[in-house]
Amino acid sequence: MAEMKSMMVENRVFNPSPEFVAKARVNSLEQYKEMYKRSVENPNEFWAQMAEENLTWFKKWETVEEYSFTDDIYIRYFAGGKLNVSYNCLDRHLDGPRKNKAAIIWQGEPLEDSKTYTYQQLHNEVCKFANVLKSQGVKRGDRVGIYLPMIPELVIAMLACTRIGAIHCIVFGGFSAEAIRDRMLDAKAEILITNNFGYRSGKFLGSKDVADAAMAQCPDIKKCIVVKRVDKECNMVEGRDVYWDDLMATASNKCEPEAMDSEDPLFILYTSGSTGKPKGAMHTTAGYHLYAMMTVKYFFDIRDEDVYFCTADIGWVTGHSYCVYGPLGLGATSLIFEGVPNYPAPDRFWQIVEKYGVNILYTAPTAIRAMMKDGDQWPKGRDLSSLRLLASVGEPINPEAWMWYYTVIGKEKCPIVDTWWQTETGGHLIAPMPGAHPMKPGSAVNPFFGVVPVLLTAEGKEAGVNEGGHLCMKKPWPGIMRGVYGDPNRFKETYFVQQPGHYFSGDGARKDEDGYYWLLGRVDDVINVSGHRMGTAEVESALVAHATVAEAAVVGFPHDIKGEGIYAYVTLKEGVEGTDELKKELVAHVRKEIGPIASPDKIQFTPGMPKTRSGKIMRRILRKIAAGAVDELGDTSTLADSTVVDNLVANRQ
Ligand code: ATP
Ligand code: MG
């Protein structure tokens, strides 16, 4: 494992706007620091207070935090406590003013399809579906597979599982039959919930056919519940498949919530597969739920009257924590969207912001860069004045994209909350406290309460100021995964062996003189040019800062003299031609921004990047192509569009 060096200098600093600070929960650096200090010096007291104030318990816990990051790895929060997640997301909001408040606002892909569920209505549907699950033989501890698009039934199914103590295992609605099969077999699921047909980017999808192909190879799946997203018959297998509506028609809306132990599993979810075969992260009940809620409360500073729009698909952890469990636990209004940012037009997000008066928007750099590429006329044509806070997740946000988000979308009055975290971490670990931290474009800033990051060199020593290191955590936080489902060894080997006694994230970062964290990219993607080790993020950000560049990905390739050379894949903005002149200009630009050591040796223009279904660039594939090893691309099952790869191979430099 390599260390990495940081070379970019980004000096811009932006203070949160006075309007924002005036109302913020945490409104000064002193307050953040005081709370942070308390959370790490006395975690038992801090988390006990948070758990007391924010969750409703059937039985109080006996201990707060217990763990070992060495030898036998274990992590426990609130052991001995009993609670129910659906109760915390629904029931307890019903005896006050939130009863008739929108819990979920659903916007379908077709413009005219939308629906709102109040807390009372959602509670009703969840109780009914919980009874349906029971009627189909699902018991506490059973795994329930869910393969659904972004429709309200997805949220209902999740919460119904939590109500009866079943463990959901959601597979992103755009995945293939093979991806569903692998996850269902791994989770040992005996039931799958899916839909007949769906919409995506204006296309009509046969979701049930995909699910059928998967189930043909999953002999343990005995039942399949089918949501009619569209009023149209699909293939139904006698004895196995039943329509959602038929079961719901006779189900009772009374269902007592199961009293779950704090450490009972809540769900299994697979990572994006950017760096290899996806890992099945297992999250448990109390710590995860509390952590998801606390990060929404503080990092997004959410209010009861807010309309909060997280654009992530619930098939990813961002959707689990930040469309469902975080906001609903707090009694907030969560807007969920079935479609994509550019259909029917490139202003779809902005049309939604305008239609519902969205106050908080949470999206990803991949979407931000794509919308920048489409041009400012799209957001400028919509009323975005309701926006109060903007957030980002998934990849490092390049300073250029950050500036666009801040100025064109946020009109310089919304804080940008860049949230660094992982499927494994359950919730945000590093982000700015929006009413407290001055922001620096491209920096994820500081840890959340109770989180203790450290940057370590390959030898396990603490890295100095601005020196790159492996981003690790010294101790757990309530939302950390408790294991890889059914595989304790993989858990230990993946996260706790490289840097003994620490949770190792796999990412590289540096900490600047103000203690701000800057993510440098994956440690596995480090490029070593003549003994200088570079993360990918900064070289990419330098390229994206050029006026013609929409997106960039850099990787190393074998080089006779330098050991490794830099190979840059570049997607240009609309209407820009990829000439040899422009290549020279881009090389000169990177030399100027960073220095000669970072100049790309090769540049390949490409209309698209190989991305995971969750929108992250898969550099491991780009590295293979750059090295000419096109037959060794590895696990490509989570790739969004395989034709991109053929095109890249054909145009290799
Ligand atoms: P796999 O673990 O299967 O390779 P993955 O790491 O892409 O896939 P996720 O858990 O979805 O799966 O993504 C977490 C990773 O995304 C982080 O480790 C980090 O590399 C990247 N990431 C997420 N948010 C940010 C952010 N705000 N800044 C920089 N990187 C981020
Ligand atoms: Mg990962």
Side-chain angles (χ1 to χ4, degrees):
M1 268 185 311
E3 280 152 61
M4 44 180 100
K5 225 189 157 103
S6 170
M7 297 157 300
M8 273 248 299
V9 191
E10 171 58 67
N11 288 324
R12 290 171 284 194
V13 180
F14 298 91
N15 285 311
S17 66
E19 306 96 278
F20 191 89
V21 176
K23 293 195 203 135
R25 256 187 200 102
V26 177
N27 59 12
S28 70
L29 263 184
E30 291 61 43
Q31 193 190 346
Y32 163 76
K33 284 181 183 160
E34 182 276 316
M35 283 181 78
Y36 180 75
K37 187 160 179 270
R38 199 151 51 84
S39 72
V40 296
E41 285 181 356
N42 209 338
N44 286 323
E45 194 189 285
F46 181 84
W47 289 117
Q49 187 195 337
M50 293 290 147
E52 185 81 56
E53 287 174 5
N54 293 282
L55 288 174
T56 304
W57 297 80
F58 298 147
K59 176 174 174 278
K60 201 176 162 167
W61 58 87
E62 279 146 25
T63 50
V64 180
E65 179 180 272
E66 296 166 285
Y67 72 97
S68 163
F69 270 9
T70 49
D71 305 321
D72 289 330
I73 311 292
Y74 69 87
I75 300 141
R76 283 194 290 272
Y77 281 86
F78 310 112
K82 289 203 188 289
L83 74 170
N84 181 281
V85 168
S86 85
Y87 184 91
N88 275 282
C89 286
L90 301 168
D91 305 52
R92 63 174 177 155
H93 303 313
L94 299 185
D95 46 5
R98 289 180 185 144
K99 178 179 174 188
N100 294 319
K101 171 180 174 177
I104 295 289
I105 298 175
W106 172 71
Q107 174 60 57
E109 178 166 293
L111 289 161
E112 64 285 2
D113 279 6
S114 72
K115 205 167 172 180
T116 296
Y117 288 79
T118 64
Y119 273 96
Q120 177 68 62
Q121 290 169 321
L122 190 61
H123 177 264
N124 225 28
E125 296 302 301
V126 167
C127 289
K128 276 162 63 182
F129 195 65
N131 284 323
V132 165
L133 286 173
K134 284 188 191 170
S135 76
Q136 299 303 299
V138 179
K139 298 179 304 297
R140 179 175 172 145
D142 287 354
R143 277 79 47 219
V144 174
I146 304 181
Y147 176 65
L148 284 174
M150 286 288 279
I151 53 176
E153 287 81 355
L154 174 51
V155 180
I156 294 165
M158 292 167 85
L159 290 170
C161 286
T162 73
R163 194 156 192 94
I164 64 170
I167 303 167
H168 59 70
C169 178
I170 302 181
V171 182
F172 166 60
F175 267 145
S176 64
E178 292 70 32
I180 308 171
R181 175 200 61 202
D182 292 350
R183 287 160 180 73
M184 292 302 102
L185 291 175
D186 196 65
K188 302 186 183 64
E190 295 181 8
I191 181 164
L192 182 69
I193 303 165
T194 188
N195 58 307
N196 59 351
F197 299 94
Y199 300 101
R200 187 108 189 144
S201 307
K203 289 194 271 304
F204 197 61
L205 307 176
S207 318
K208 179 62 166 43
D209 290 343
V210 180
D212 280 343
M215 285 188 285
Q217 297 178 60
C218 297
D220 289 342
I221 297 189
K222 309 272 171 13
K223 290 277 173 202
C224 177
I225 301 177
V226 184
V227 178
K228 272 194 179 174
R229 166 67 186 93
V230 187
D231 191 14
K232 187 166 154 41
E233 295 299 314
C234 66
N235 178 48
M236 295 291 278
V237 174
E238 179 86 43
R240 185 192 70 185
D241 303 351
V242 215
Y243 281 119
W244 170 291
D245 290 342
D246 294 345
L247 294 168
M248 290 289 267
T250 53
S252 149
N253 65 358
K254 301 268 178 307
C255 179
E256 281 302 308
E258 194 80 11
M260 303 304 290
D261 290 334
S262 293
E263 286 297 342
D264 274 335
L266 183 66
F267 65 82
I268 304 165
L269 181 67
Y270 292 81
T271 58
S272 292
S274 309
T275 58
K277 198 172 152 44
K279 300 165 281 267
M282 186 187 70
H283 284 282
T284 58
T285 303
Y288 166 82
H289 196 202
L290 180 67
Y291 196 77
M293 285 169 54
M294 291 302 88
T295 43
V296 176
K297 184 165 175 174
Y298 290 100
F299 276 150
F300 295 162
D301 203 26
I302 202 164
R303 304 286 145 170
D304 246 316
E305 60 277 18
D306 280 337
V307 175
Y308 159 76
F309 178 21
C310 169
T311 71
D313 194 285
I314 293 174
W316 313 120
V317 73
T318 304
H320 280 59
S321 301
Y322 297 110
C323 289
V324 183
Y325 294 121
L328 298 186
L330 293 165
T333 296
S334 178
L335 193 161
I336 65 171
F337 172 44
E338 183 183 33
V340 297
N342 59 357
Y343 180 83
D347 64 347
R348 191 65 199 273
F349 281 180
W350 317 127
Q351 180 260 335
I352 293 173
V353 168
E354 185 177 76
K355 176 173 174 188
Y356 296 100
V358 171
N359 305 103
I360 301 176
L361 177 73
Y362 190 22
T363 191
T366 182
I368 297 170
R369 289 189 299 256
M371 292 185 291
M372 275 173 82
K373 187 178 169 204
D374 291 326
D376 294 1
Q377 69 277 20
W378 295 103
K380 285 191 172 145
R382 296 286 180 181
D383 178 4
L384 307 182
S385 60
S386 57
L387 289 170
R388 200 178 87 243
L389 182 143
L390 301 170
S392 168
V393 62
E395 291 180 293
I397 176 164
N398 321 104
E400 211 53 32
W402 194 103
M403 286 304 302
W404 184 83
Y405 204 24
Y406 184 66
T407 53
V408 178
I409 306 305
K411 319 279 191 249
E412 298 175 30
K413 68 177 176 51
C414 303
I416 304 290
V417 180
D418 175 17
T419 62
W420 176 82
W421 62 297
Q422 311 177 290
T423 307
E424 296 90 333
T425 72
H428 311 142
L429 294 192
I430 304 182
M433 194 55 72
H437 281 110
M439 296 164 282
K440 303 186 187 185
S443 171
V445 186
N446 275 188
F448 191 64
F449 306 130
V451 172
V452 188
V454 59
L455 299 174
L456 297 174
T457 66
E459 295 74 41
K461 300 216 166 47
E462 210 162 310
V465 171
N466 280 324
E467 199 188 325
H470 299 168
L471 178 52
C472 299
M473 300 297 146
K474 286 190 181 173
K475 66 178 290 285
W477 57 96
I480 187 176
M481 73 191 275
R482 302 299 197 262
V484 172
Y485 190 73
D487 195 348
N489 277 337
R490 188 154 182 221
F491 183 47
K492 181 169 178 176
E493 277 152 26
T494 314
Y495 308 101
F496 297 96
V497 169
Q498 291 88 338
Q499 296 284 3
H502 294 82
Y503 169 84
F504 172 50
S505 69
D507 286 354
R510 74 176 161 101
K511 204 158 103 171
D512 71 14
E513 47 291 339
D514 296 323
Y516 277 40
Y517 286 86
W518 299 76
L519 273 296
L520 298 174
R522 316 277 182 146
V523 169
D524 292 348
D525 291 333
V526 165
I527 307 172
N528 185 347
V529 181
S530 312
H532 295 267
R533 296 173 190 282
M534 286 172 250
T536 51
E538 294 182 333
V539 186
E540 290 165 3
S541 290
L543 283 163
V544 174
H546 192 271
T548 61
V549 176
E551 188 151 51
V554 302
V555 296
F557 70 100
H559 189 286
D560 289 345
I561 301 153
K562 304 193 220 175
E564 264 189 320
I566 296 181
Y567 195 118
Y569 298 86
V570 171
T571 302
L572 296 170
K573 288 204 177 132
E574 248 9 284
V576 180
E577 209 193 323
T579 60
D580 285 344
E581 250 58 276
L582 182 54
K583 283 188 185 173
K584 287 195 194 114
E585 197 180 315
L586 291 177
V587 171
H589 169 77
V590 176
R591 288 176 80 96
K592 181 166 105 337
E593 291 277 306
I594 299 187
I597 193 75
S599 334
D601 298 275
K602 293 185 181 181
I603 293 183
Q604 177 174 346
F605 293 121
T606 171
M609 298 289 177
K611 288 187 181 171
T612 60
R613 292 275 176 174
S614 57
K616 295 165 201 275
I617 298 172
M618 285 166 101
R619 290 179 193 74
R620 64 184 163 92
I621 289 183
L622 294 173
R623 205 160 47 226
K624 292 287 183 192
I625 296 173
V630 294
D631 300 329
E632 306 161 23
L633 298 183
D635 187 329
T636 53
S637 64
T638 63
L639 199 61
D641 176 1
S642 54
T643 62
V644 170
V645 173
D646 302 337
N647 182 292
L648 284 164
V649 170
N651 296 298
R652 214 183 130 236
Q653 299 294 293

